[in-house]
Amino acid sequence: MSHNSDLRDRHIAAIPRGLASAFPVYAQRAENSEIWDIDGNRYIDFAGGIAVLNTGHRHPKVMAAVRDQLDHFTHTAFQILPYEPYVALCERLNGLAPFSAPAKSVLFSTGAEAVENAIKIARASTGRPGVIAFSGGFHGRTTLTMALTGKVAPYKVKFGVAPPAIYHVPFPAPSHGVSVADTLRALDTLFRADIAPTDVAAIIIEPVQGEGGFLPAPTELLQALRQTCDTHGIVLIADEVQTGFARTGKMFGIEHSGVEPDLLTVAKSLAGGFPLSGVIGRADIMDAAEPGGLGGTYAGSPMACAAALAVLDVIGEEGLLSRADALGATIRGALEELALRNDGVPISAIRGPGAMIAFDIVTDSGEPDAATTKRVIQTALADGLVLLSCGIYSNTIRILCPLTISDALLEEGLTKLGRALVATH
């Protein structure tokens, strides 16, 4: 029987170092908010597979839907022989779309694939090449999405120059010393110095930056972007890959602002752990691509579609929108108490909507402390808690526990987090 140490050696020998794993711990089984590794160690999951498991590991309704689909067929390629689960899921997504115009959806496999196709659709609709993204944003690791991502290390190192017609403006965040006015001035400068707004196909933004540090996009900024896009005929894309499907207390993060995007990219928690992504958009924009211009061999897998339909049922039946708010309130309260203690690592800037909560680990003088952040995460892991960091200074800890986590497991996980902060001090 393999053990963590054995698999680590095999891992290093077989897999390139460019694919980095956070921990030398190999999963064997999981249920809802708990994971057991191949050595039998138990962990509470505050990472959720990087925001993929809003409905938890192996939700019974999701598993039942996938088993039923397995008894029918596993693959035909939708471009060859289409099937009802794909159509039914697109109908459900169109009904959830946070804009008043008629909607259409198209499905893919990964978040990066969804973003790439959203850009393709925007370019087809406008006949323009330019795309504007934000510093600190994360949109994927493919050549195009890597270029959209607003962080060099580790995502762009050694991979050459970006494709043309992609631009970045600063993302507003008090911790970075950037205001909404600063961002809008930078956008105006970009339009005067580098690309005319009439050459811009799309502006893409995360309603809450994920890898960038769980920084919510201010409503004032989203409103200004909507106005800019309306004035110049630019497509506004909300990247909801990490914020979608109840994580923020709304089905989609942008709903907190009341701003209507033109396209949304979705993935991660859409299918409860099965690879599935999509673009939801205004029908007139979505229809701009010519037949054959969109698709993919595995795009919209029948099993993933069945899982996603079950996920949407679970979100409604189990009240996960309100559950996200309740979890967030509990997590915030616990973190605020930890911030007041003087026997642990200093923490600050507790933030995030719903159950998309993060905080920063800082030095006694308030500077970002990436080294201590790493130690806290390792200490928590040794105590049976899986945590993730993020942020441009690598000093942010994000909490992405399943929305189906029990109150008892949440309390146990928060206790372990507190112990890690004290033990690392």
Side-chain angles (χ1 to χ4, degrees):
M1 180 179 176
S2 296
H3 295 280
N4 282 320
S5 57
D6 304 326
L7 270 177
R8 181 61 177 167
D9 292 339
R10 290 165 56 192
H11 178 156
I12 292 169
I15 298 168
R17 65 190 185 95
L19 175 57
S21 297
F23 311 113
V25 170
Y26 292 81
Q28 184 179 61
R29 63 185 178 94
E31 292 290 340
N32 196 357
S33 303
E34 297 172 281
I35 302 173
W36 288 264
D37 71 13
I38 60 173
D39 288 340
N41 301 306
R42 167 187 173 266
Y43 303 89
I44 295 175
D45 188 2
F46 272 19
I50 318 181
V52 168
L53 298 165
N54 288 356
T55 54
H57 293 273
R58 303 183 68 251
H59 191 286
K61 185 155 192 170
V62 175
M63 293 298 99
V66 173
R67 290 189 189 102
D68 181 67
Q69 181 59 46
L70 280 170
D71 288 338
H72 290 81
F73 60 92
T74 61
H75 178 77
T76 64
F78 192 78
Q79 301 95 301
I80 308 303
L81 295 176
Y83 36 88
E84 185 176 9
Y86 190 119
V87 177
L89 179 57
C90 288
E91 290 172 336
R92 292 280 295 275
L93 294 174
N94 295 341
L96 294 170
F99 37 79
S100 51
K104 288 190 175 184
S105 296
V106 60
L107 303 177
F108 303 100
S109 300
T110 69
E113 221 182 335
V115 171
E116 291 228 359
N117 280 277
I119 300 303
K120 286 168 57 177
I121 292 165
R123 285 174 168 169
S125 175
T126 62
R128 304 171 181 178
V131 183
I132 297 172
F134 290 83
S135 60
F138 182 85
H139 301 288
R141 289 182 174 88
T142 61
T143 300
L144 177 62
T145 57
M146 173 183 69
L148 293 169
T149 292
K151 185 178 180 182
V152 172
Y155 306 116
K156 305 184 186 186
V157 175
K158 294 187 176 181
F159 295 135
V161 298
I166 293 175
Y167 304 88
H168 291 87
V169 293
F171 187 85
S175 58
H176 301 165
V178 179
S179 68
V180 171
D182 293 331
T183 298
L184 296 178
R185 277 194 296 270
L187 183 62
D188 183 61
T189 299
L190 183 69
F191 286 155
R192 287 186 285 107
D194 292 309
I195 185 169
T198 50
D199 287 327
V200 175
I203 297 175
I204 185 167
I205 188 169
E206 299 163 278
V208 181
Q209 284 198 337
E211 296 295 322
F214 277 34
L215 302 173
T219 295
E220 179 187 356
L221 173 65
L222 294 171
Q223 291 171 337
L225 294 179
R226 179 70 273 172
Q227 183 176 1
T228 296
C229 289
D230 289 341
T231 299
H232 300 292
I234 299 169
V235 174
L236 181 61
I237 304 172
D239 185 338
E240 295 271 0
V241 168
Q242 191 159 167
T243 50
F245 304 105
R247 174 55 55 183
T248 69
K250 302 283 188 182
M251 188 62 73
F252 301 109
I254 197 142
E255 293 181 86
H256 290 278
S257 70
V259 171
E260 294 190 6
D262 299 307
L263 302 177
L264 282 85
T265 60
V266 295
K268 289 192 180 287
S269 277
L270 170 58
F274 289 84
L276 187 66
S277 66
V279 181
I280 312 168
R282 284 175 31 197
D284 58 328
I285 295 175
M286 295 291 287
D287 278 334
E290 295 294 329
L294 303 176
T297 301
Y298 297 105
S301 156
M303 291 175 291
C305 288
L309 288 165
V311 163
L312 294 178
D313 288 343
V314 170
I315 290 172
E317 292 167 2
E318 299 190 12
L320 294 190
L321 298 181
S322 58
R323 178 62 174 165
D325 286 334
L327 289 171
T330 299
I331 295 166
R332 280 178 174 273
L335 291 174
E336 287 165 359
E337 288 184 10
L338 289 169
L340 294 174
R341 294 173 58 169
N342 59 12
D343 60 344
V345 170
I347 69 174
S348 67
I350 300 164
R351 60 190 179 274
M356 193 172 179
I357 304 297
F359 62 93
D360 294 338
I361 290 183
V362 296
T363 64
D364 290 335
S365 60
E367 297 300 313
D369 193 342
T372 299
T373 302
K374 187 173 182 178
R375 290 198 300 273
V376 167
I377 289 172
Q378 294 293 340
T379 302
L381 185 75
D383 194 27
L385 176 66
V386 180
L387 293 172
L388 292 175
S389 63
C390 62
I392 64 170
Y393 302 115
S394 301
N395 73 311
T396 297
I397 288 182
R398 49 181 160 171
I399 297 177
L400 287 166
C401 57
L403 304 180
T404 51
I405 192 171
S406 68
D407 290 341
L409 274 178
L410 178 64
E411 182 179 355
E412 184 183 353
L414 290 171
T415 298
K416 291 177 183 290
L417 173 58
R419 283 204 295 261
L421 292 169
V422 171
T424 313
H425 189 232

